[in-house]
Amino acid sequence: MIVREARQEEVHIIMEIESSGIRHPWTYDLIESLITSDKKVALVAADEDDIPLGYVGASFLFEEAEIGNICVLPEARGKGIGQLLMIAMDDFMRAHGVEKIFLEVESDNIPAISLYEKSNYSKYNARSNYYGQGLDALLYVKNLNG
């Protein structure tokens, strides 16, 4: 498994990955902007044939970043791919001078919450009913400096 920056020709593959596991997948244009903008990034975890099995996308400015989405194909879950993507994103952000990474997650997304907490993210707030009645947004942050 290798983690690398996504290529523009992989936008459709990333859309398929998102559609397989995210309730509100991003549009083509939003995903493409992760690849074409100099203040955004999409990292993919690719198999031995260089086929993406998962991805994480984020934006960054100065010392702060925000992870927008992370998703792994259902058939590739449970193999540590999400953890590899989170580690690679930390490394990418450190290399670009980022000190804190923020993200939000639906309160019922237990696998994602587990991944974030294993990746040393700390919950700092919540937005009630942000995703609809009874679906709160949990807000997490990670300080890359310790």
Side-chain angles (χ1 to χ4, degrees):
M1 189 74 48
I2 184 169
V3 178
R4 59 169 172 75
E5 287 189 48
R7 301 178 192 121
Q8 190 156 2
E9 63 269 16
E10 294 172 325
V11 172
H12 287 293
I13 295 170
I14 293 170
M15 289 180 72
E16 290 173 22
I17 293 169
E18 278 213 358
S19 295
S20 74
I22 295 180
R23 285 183 206 165
H24 310 287
W26 286 8
T27 64
Y28 182 96
D29 290 342
L30 285 173
I31 294 171
E32 183 180 47
S33 76
L34 293 172
I35 298 167
T36 59
S37 171
D38 65 345
K39 292 298 177 191
K40 296 180 182 180
V41 64
L43 302 178
V44 295
D47 66 13
E48 59 277 353
D49 295 321
D50 204 30
I51 306 296
L53 301 177
Y55 102 102
V56 59
S59 59
F60 57 100
L61 187 61
F62 303 115
E63 67 278 345
E64 293 185 352
E66 182 177 7
I67 292 178
N69 277 345
I70 180 170
C71 191
V72 176
L73 286 171
E75 62 270 21
R77 292 182 188 154
K79 299 176 181 175
I81 295 171
Q83 191 72 44
L84 283 174
L85 287 165
M86 295 299 284
I87 291 167
M89 185 59 75
D90 287 355
D91 293 343
F92 178 92
M93 291 302 172
R94 273 190 201 95
H96 286 82
V98 170
E99 297 174 9
K100 287 185 180 181
I101 304 177
F102 296 87
L103 59 83
E104 69 180 45
V105 60
E106 292 180 39
S107 57
D108 66 344
N109 191 341
I110 304 305
I113 292 168
S114 175
L115 171 64
Y116 302 146
E117 290 179 355
K118 279 191 252 181
S119 300
N120 297 314
Y121 280 77
S122 301
K123 186 175 122 182
Y124 70 92
N125 209 340
R127 293 183 179 127
S128 295
N129 300 316
Y130 186 78
Y131 292 107
Q133 189 62 33
L135 287 176
D136 299 342
L138 304 180
L139 307 177
Y140 282 80
V141 64
K142 181 174 185 176
N143 186 339
L144 294 177
N145 294 331

